[in-house]
């Protein structure tokens, strides 16, 4: 029985191999999507006939009464009332916290709820597995039928009821679609009761899953269960770039995480000076240019439209200058400590901060002279212009001149291809 349960909802404990919540081993079941921790589980006095929360496929959650007082706990596979027949789901919450979950779902306390029939039997699970095995083929066939009818819609998924008598078709459409003819064809084709349910692009992305630009799994596929509207005002409040490619997620809608820190930014922005206040100094006027909300710093510019002579000061300093300006006092500078240059902790003696310290000094290689290369030889005119000094009076000057020209004792020496007669 437990093996069958683990086959239907693959979230069993890896330690004791028990499907559902585990309290008997050191390795407890990892919490999954739509699962909330029951912090009041150890408090006695819980009504055994109270309401329980049951989860189905595609983030579908329902609330059911327990008239038979079954000993239900988180993780149990149960057969619940459906219209018509019964459905198979998994218990995700019991006890007094279910009332809080109902309040979050928008259900009133006096709402008439369906009931839990029994804990799922082996034949119930077998029938449910057979129905789930037909979901993919049914979806492919339904897509082809919708394409033949020319409907502007996309069927994203199919969910069969636990007894196989009903199928829910999840579809995406940008505009209103008349699918009455499609329902008749699908009912005749699959011999089940048809229910069409429209979902948004966010739900579709959560069903498919993926990795976000932050490097983590998508929030909609990992833990988010309800989606609220996201507007561009959230991006403006956080001073983000209004670039659609950066603000849009994989569903081509604005990222859900834009709403996560809006409240923190809104609270922090209340502690900043207003944008329309101009700071007056003896040098001129400074206008509000750009804030760093969480750091509580503001950058001011001397021009309204372009960044010029930017000065960044803290919010407390800005409020101080505003108070002085109201009294008619102009400060000397926005940041009085801007002229103070901090002393360095060390001195760059050996040039360790130089960007070119690792570059090798390339020395130019001198070309070797070749005997017959005229470009490397000394011109005769340069030699003749030099004064000839006979440092050795015991030898004639002609021999000394020939030695300078590269020849010894030969009056017929050649230099640069020119014949120099012996004097």
């Amino acid at each position: 029985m437990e093996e069958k349960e683990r086959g239907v909802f693959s979230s069993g404990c890896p330690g004791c191999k028990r499907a559902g919540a585990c309290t008997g081993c050191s390795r407890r079941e990892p919490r999954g999507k739509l699962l909330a921790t029951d912090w009041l589980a150890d408090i006695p006095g819980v009504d055994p006939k109270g309401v329980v929360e049951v989860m189905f496929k595609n983030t579908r959650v329902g609330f059911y009464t327990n008239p038979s007082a079954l000993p239900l706990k988180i993780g149990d596979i149960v057969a619940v009332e459906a219209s018509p027949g019964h459905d198979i789901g998994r218990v995700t919450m019991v006890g007094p916290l279910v009332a809080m979950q109902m309040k979050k779902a928008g259900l009133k306390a006096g709402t008439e709820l369906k009931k839990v029939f029994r804990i799922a039997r082996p034949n119930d699970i077998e029938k449910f597995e057979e129905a789930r095995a037909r979901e993919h083929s049914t979806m492919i066939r339904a897509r082809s039928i919708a394409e033949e009818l020319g409907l502007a819609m996309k069927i994203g998924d199919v969910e069969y009821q636990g007894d196989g008598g009903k199928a829910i078709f999840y579809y995406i459409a940008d505009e209103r679609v008349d699918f009455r003819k499609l329902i008749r064809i699908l009912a005749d084709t699959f011999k089940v009761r048809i229910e069409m349910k429209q979902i948004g692009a966010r739900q579709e992305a959560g069903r498919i899953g993926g990795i976000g630009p932050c490097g983590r799994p998508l929030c909609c596929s990992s833990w988010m269960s309800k989606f609220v509207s996201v507007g561009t005002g959230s991006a403006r409040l956080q001073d983000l770039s209004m670039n659609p490619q950066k603000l849009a997620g994989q569903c081509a809608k604005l990222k859900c995480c834009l709403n996560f820190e809006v409240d923190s930014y809104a609270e922090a922005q209340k502690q900043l000076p207003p944008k329309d206040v101009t700071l007056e100094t003896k040098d001129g006027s400074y206008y509000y240019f750009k804030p760093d909300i969480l750091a509580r710093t503001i950058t001011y510019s001397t021009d309204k439209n372009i960044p010029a002579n930017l000065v960044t000061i803290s919010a407390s300093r800005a409020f101080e200058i505003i108070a002085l300006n109201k009294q008619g006092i102009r400060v000397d500078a926005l940041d009085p400590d801007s002229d103070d240059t901090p002393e360095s902790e060390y001195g760059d003696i050996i040039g360790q901060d130089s960007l070119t310290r690792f570059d090798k000094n390339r020395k130019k290689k001198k070309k070797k002279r070749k005997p017959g290369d005229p470009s490397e030889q000394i011109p005769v005119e340069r030699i003749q212009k030099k004064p000839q000094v006979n440092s050795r009076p015991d030898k004639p000057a002609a021999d000394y001149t020939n030695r300078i020209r590269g020849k010894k004792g030969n009056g017929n020496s050649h230099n640069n291809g020119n014949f120099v007669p012996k004097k």
Side-chain angles (χ1 to χ4, degrees):
M1 174 63 183
E2 293 182 356
E3 294 294 330
K4 281 289 183 182
E5 291 179 356
R6 288 195 296 113
V8 176
F9 296 95
S10 57
S11 58
C13 174
C16 61
K17 306 299 181 182
R18 180 185 182 279
C22 175
T23 57
C25 68
S26 59
R27 298 185 63 184
R28 299 195 174 187
E29 173 197 6
R31 308 305 298 177
K33 184 177 181 180
L34 298 177
L35 297 183
T37 303
D38 189 0
W39 302 106
L40 305 179
D42 299 333
I43 298 178
V46 177
D47 184 12
K49 295 185 179 181
V51 182
V52 297
E53 182 189 57
V54 182
M55 182 188 69
F56 304 95
K57 185 182 177 182
N58 282 340
T59 70
R60 186 167 61 93
V61 178
F63 299 93
Y64 299 86
T65 59
N66 186 12
S68 303
L70 299 173
L72 299 177
K73 50 188 174 297
I74 296 177
D76 288 340
I77 309 301
V78 294
V80 299
E81 181 182 2
S83 56
H86 69 274
D87 203 353
I88 302 296
R90 180 182 177 212
V91 178
T92 55
M93 182 60 66
V94 296
L97 290 183
V98 179
M100 300 177 62
Q101 297 291 94
M102 293 176 62
K103 186 177 180 180
K104 289 174 60 178
L107 295 177
K108 297 181 180 179
T111 305
E112 185 177 356
L113 302 176
K114 298 178 182 179
K115 58 184 179 180
V116 178
F117 286 148
R118 58 187 177 274
I119 296 178
R121 301 168 183 168
N123 57 347
D124 295 332
I125 297 178
E126 289 179 2
K127 189 178 295 184
F128 181 51
E129 287 179 345
E130 293 176 359
R132 289 189 63 182
R134 305 197 307 267
E135 290 179 351
H136 183 70
S137 59
T138 302
M139 179 186 66
I140 299 301
R141 177 61 179 151
R143 285 181 178 179
S144 62
I145 294 175
E147 185 177 0
E148 293 174 0
L149 296 177
L151 300 178
M153 60 183 296
K154 174 190 174 183
I155 298 178
D157 199 4
V158 178
E159 177 188 357
Y160 271 95
Q161 197 171 271
D163 56 359
K166 180 181 176 181
I168 302 175
F169 290 80
Y170 296 91
Y171 71 95
I172 302 173
D174 296 333
E175 54 188 15
R176 186 177 180 85
V177 179
D178 185 8
F179 45 74
R180 289 176 292 180
K181 185 176 180 180
L182 175 64
I183 292 178
R184 292 195 297 268
I185 297 176
L186 294 178
D188 296 339
T189 303
F190 303 110
K191 309 299 181 184
V192 293
R193 187 173 180 177
I194 305 299
E195 179 181 348
M196 305 296 295
K197 192 171 184 179
Q198 185 175 4
I199 60 176
R202 303 181 190 274
Q203 289 86 345
E204 176 72 5
R207 189 187 65 83
I208 297 175
I211 303 297
C214 57
R216 298 176 62 88
L218 297 179
C219 297
C220 55
S221 63
S222 58
W223 62 272
M224 288 188 67
S225 58
K226 297 179 181 178
F227 303 94
V228 297
S229 61
V230 183
T232 56
S234 301
R236 291 192 182 95
L237 187 62
Q238 300 176 58
D239 198 22
L240 298 177
S241 174
M242 302 304 292
N243 188 348
Q245 296 180 353
K246 293 183 178 180
L247 297 180
Q250 297 187 9
C251 57
K253 304 292 183 180
L254 292 177
K255 295 178 182 177
C256 297
C257 56
L258 293 177
N259 283 347
F260 293 171
E261 298 180 352
V262 169
D263 297 336
S264 300
Y265 275 86
E267 189 67 24
Q269 207 167 38
K270 295 178 181 178
Q271 303 176 1
L272 297 180
K275 298 182 179 181
D276 56 348
V277 175
T278 304
L279 303 185
E280 301 294 339
T281 65
K282 294 181 180 179
D283 298 334
S285 301
Y286 285 83
Y287 303 95
Y288 194 100
F289 180 69
K290 183 179 180 181
D292 191 342
I293 300 176
L294 298 183
R296 295 192 63 193
T297 59
I298 308 99
T299 302
Y300 286 89
S301 172
T302 55
D303 193 280
K304 288 184 177 181
N305 302 321
I306 60 175
N309 303 323
L310 299 179
V311 179
T312 302
I313 59 175
S314 61
S316 58
R317 174 62 178 170
F319 282 117
E320 180 183 350
I321 296 175
I322 292 173
L324 293 175
N325 290 158
K326 288 182 179 179
Q327 300 175 7
I329 303 174
R330 290 173 174 251
V331 296
D332 295 334
L334 294 186
D335 190 3
D337 301 331
S338 59
D339 297 336
D340 299 339
T341 56
E343 297 181 358
S344 59
E345 298 180 359
Y346 62 92
D348 185 16
I349 301 175
I350 59 175
Q352 57 188 1
D353 289 341
S354 176
L355 296 177
T356 61
R357 63 185 184 274
F358 296 114
D359 296 343
K360 295 181 179 180
N361 295 327
R362 297 181 179 179
K363 296 182 179 180
K364 296 182 178 180
K365 296 182 179 180
K366 295 183 178 180
K367 297 182 179 180
K368 296 182 178 180
R369 291 184 180 181
K370 296 182 180 180
D373 190 0
S375 62
E376 298 294 337
Q377 296 180 2
I378 304 174
V380 179
E381 293 79 2
R382 190 187 303 176
I383 299 175
Q384 292 178 353
K385 288 180 182 179
K386 292 182 179 180
Q388 297 181 5
V389 180
N390 189 1
S391 60
R392 298 186 64 179
D394 55 336
K395 289 191 177 184
D399 294 337
Y400 183 72
T401 305
N402 292 334
R403 185 180 300 175
I404 294 176
R405 296 175 181 175
K407 298 291 183 177
K408 286 185 179 181
N410 185 8
N412 297 328
S413 61
H414 293 271
N415 194 353
N416 288 343
N418 298 326
F419 174 76
V420 180
K422 184 176 180 181
K423 293 182 181 180

